[in-house]
Amino acid sequence: MYFKAAVTVFCVACLSASVGFTQQVKFPAFSAEAHRGGRGLYPENTIMAMLKTMKIDGITTLEMDTHITKDGNVVVTHDDYLSPAFMLTPDGKEIPKGDAKKYVIFGMNYDELRKFDLGTKPHELFPQQQKSKEYIPLLADLIDSVQLDIKKNKRKQFFYNIETKCNPNEDGITNPVPETFVKLLMDVIEKKKITPYVVIQSFDKRTIQIINKKYPEVKTSFLVANKKSYEENIADLGYKPFILSPVWQMVTEEMVTKAHNDGVKIIPWTANTAEDIKKLKALKVDGIISDYPDVLVQTNL
C-alpha cells in the first residue's frame, strides 16, 4: 500500500511539473519577431543584433537564417554567398560585384568564413543600421549568448524562429541534402536544450516535412510567396504546420479565418511600416516578422 501511494504521489508531482513546463513554453499570443535580428537597426543575423533587440520591450521572437559550412558547421547567415552589398574581406576591402558568387558559404570552412566583416560597411537599404565590426556566428554560439543574456538579466525566455536556407536546385552546391541539413541543425538545437522554444521555418518544404516526421514535437512554419490559395499551399506541404508564414502582401481576412479554423497560425513577413503593421493586426494575424522591431512593438491598432 505504501509503495502504491508513493507512486501515486510521484505521478501527480510529475503531472504538475509537466503542466508547469507546458505553460512555461506557451507560444506568444502575438509573436513579435525581429527579422534577422532586426536588420533595419543592426547588422543582420549577428549576435550583437540579437542581444540589442532583446532589450526592446515587446519583442518575443528572434528570427534568423541558417546555412551549413563546408566543414559541417551550422552558421547564422541568409545569403548563399558572401554579399558584396554589406560584407568586407578580412583585410577590410570591398568584395567586387564580379565576385558576388565567389564566396559560397557551403564551400568555406568556418574558420575562414568567420574572418569576414559584415557590420562595418554601410547598408544602402538600411541607413539607420548601427555599424560595428561583426562576423557570421555559429548557431551554437548565438544560442549560448542569448541564453546567457536571458539568465544574467533575468529576461523572459525568447523564442527562436530559425530558417533553413535550402533549395532543391542547389543540393550539393549551396546546401547539403535536406536530411543532412536537418540532422546538423537539430543536433545543435537539442544539445543546447532549446527545442520547446524553437520554430523551424523554410521555403523548402522538404526540410520541414522531415522535421514534422522525425521531430514531431518541433514547431514548423511554411514560408510562402506565391499566388496559391491557403488550401493549395497546405496541400502542397502535405500536412498542417504550426504556422503558415506568407509574404505580408498575401494576407487576407479569408486566409486568416481558414488558417485559424485549421488551428494554423498566420505570421507574415516582412512588414516594416506602421501602416502595414496596422493592416495586418486588423486582420488578426498571430504575429509579424519585421526588420524594424522598434516600429513593430510601438504600432498598435
Side-chain angles (χ1 to χ4, degrees), residues 41-102:
L41 306 178
Y42 314 110
E44 66 176 58
N45 281 316
T46 59
I47 292 173
M48 175 267 232
M50 304 298 165
L51 297 181
K52 291 276 190 179
T53 291
M54 288 166 67
K55 297 177 181 179
I56 300 175
D57 189 35
I59 291 299
T60 66
T61 306
L62 304 172
E63 195 269 358
M64 64 197 72
D65 309 277
T66 54
H67 270 283
I68 307 299
T69 61
K70 182 179 180 180
D71 51 350
N73 282 295
V74 185
V75 293
V76 182
T77 189
H78 177 274
D79 296 354
D80 296 337
Y81 309 86
L82 295 183
S83 173
F86 55 87
M87 299 289 302
L88 296 175
T89 64
D91 56 1
K93 294 180 180 178
E94 299 264 347
I95 297 175
K97 289 187 177 180
D99 290 344
K101 292 192 174 183
K102 178 180 178 181

Side-chain angles (χ1 to χ4, degrees), residues 222 224 226-237 239-246 250 252 254-266:
F222 190 25
V224 293
N226 54 46
K227 294 183 178 180
K228 296 179 182 179
S229 67
Y230 166 78
E231 293 90 343
E232 287 170 333
N233 277 310
I234 296 299
D236 181 36
L237 180 59
Y239 73 95
K240 293 175 184 175
F242 186 70
I243 298 164
L244 181 68
S245 191
M250 284 178 65
T252 63
E254 180 184 24
M255 174 190 283
V256 175
T257 298
K258 287 180 176 179
H260 288 175
N261 287 341
D262 273 351
V264 174
K265 298 181 185 297
I266 296 290

Side-chain angles (χ1 to χ4, degrees), residues 269-289:
W269 54 274
T270 307
N272 286 336
T273 68
E275 180 182 6
D276 294 335
I277 290 167
K278 284 182 180 180
K279 287 178 182 177
L280 292 169
K281 286 188 173 183
L283 294 174
K284 302 191 184 307
V285 296
D286 301 284
I288 294 172
I289 301 169

Side-chain angles (χ1 to χ4, degrees), residues 23-165:
Q23 291 174 342
Q24 181 186 2
V25 299
K26 184 178 180 182
F27 195 73
F30 184 88
S31 187
E33 309 201 7
H35 186 233
R36 307 188 198 179
R39 67 171 174 163
L41 306 178
Y42 314 110
E44 66 176 58
N45 281 316
T46 59
I47 292 173
M48 175 267 232
M50 304 298 165
L51 297 181
K52 291 276 190 179
T53 291
M54 288 166 67
K55 297 177 181 179
I56 300 175
D57 189 35
I59 291 299
T60 66
T61 306
L62 304 172
E63 195 269 358
M64 64 197 72
D65 309 277
T66 54
H67 270 283
I68 307 299
T69 61
K70 182 179 180 180
D71 51 350
N73 282 295
V74 185
V75 293
V76 182
T77 189
H78 177 274
D79 296 354
D80 296 337
Y81 309 86
L82 295 183
S83 173
F86 55 87
M87 299 289 302
L88 296 175
T89 64
D91 56 1
K93 294 180 180 178
E94 299 264 347
I95 297 175
K97 289 187 177 180
D99 290 344
K101 292 192 174 183
K102 178 180 178 181
Y103 301 102
V104 188
I105 304 297
F106 189 49
M108 300 173 69
N109 290 328
Y110 182 64
D111 285 349
E112 178 187 5
L113 183 66
R114 194 187 189 282
K115 295 175 183 176
F116 286 77
D117 173 13
L118 71 81
T120 302
K121 182 178 178 178
H123 198 312
E124 65 177 22
L125 296 179
F126 303 102
Q128 299 175 17
Q129 195 179 85
Q130 181 178 322
K131 307 316 295 178
S132 68
K133 190 171 184 179
E134 303 296 332
Y135 61 91
I136 293 174
L138 293 170
L139 176 62
D141 289 347
L142 187 151
I143 292 168
D144 284 345
S145 296
V146 169
Q147 294 301 124
L148 179 62
D149 184 86
I150 289 170
K151 182 177 180 180
K152 180 181 177 181
N153 294 296
K154 296 181 172 57
R155 303 191 195 280
K156 68 182 185 305
Q157 176 62 52
F158 284 78
F159 278 75
Y160 297 82
N161 187 5
I162 303 173
E163 182 178 347
T164 60
K165 301 304 293 184

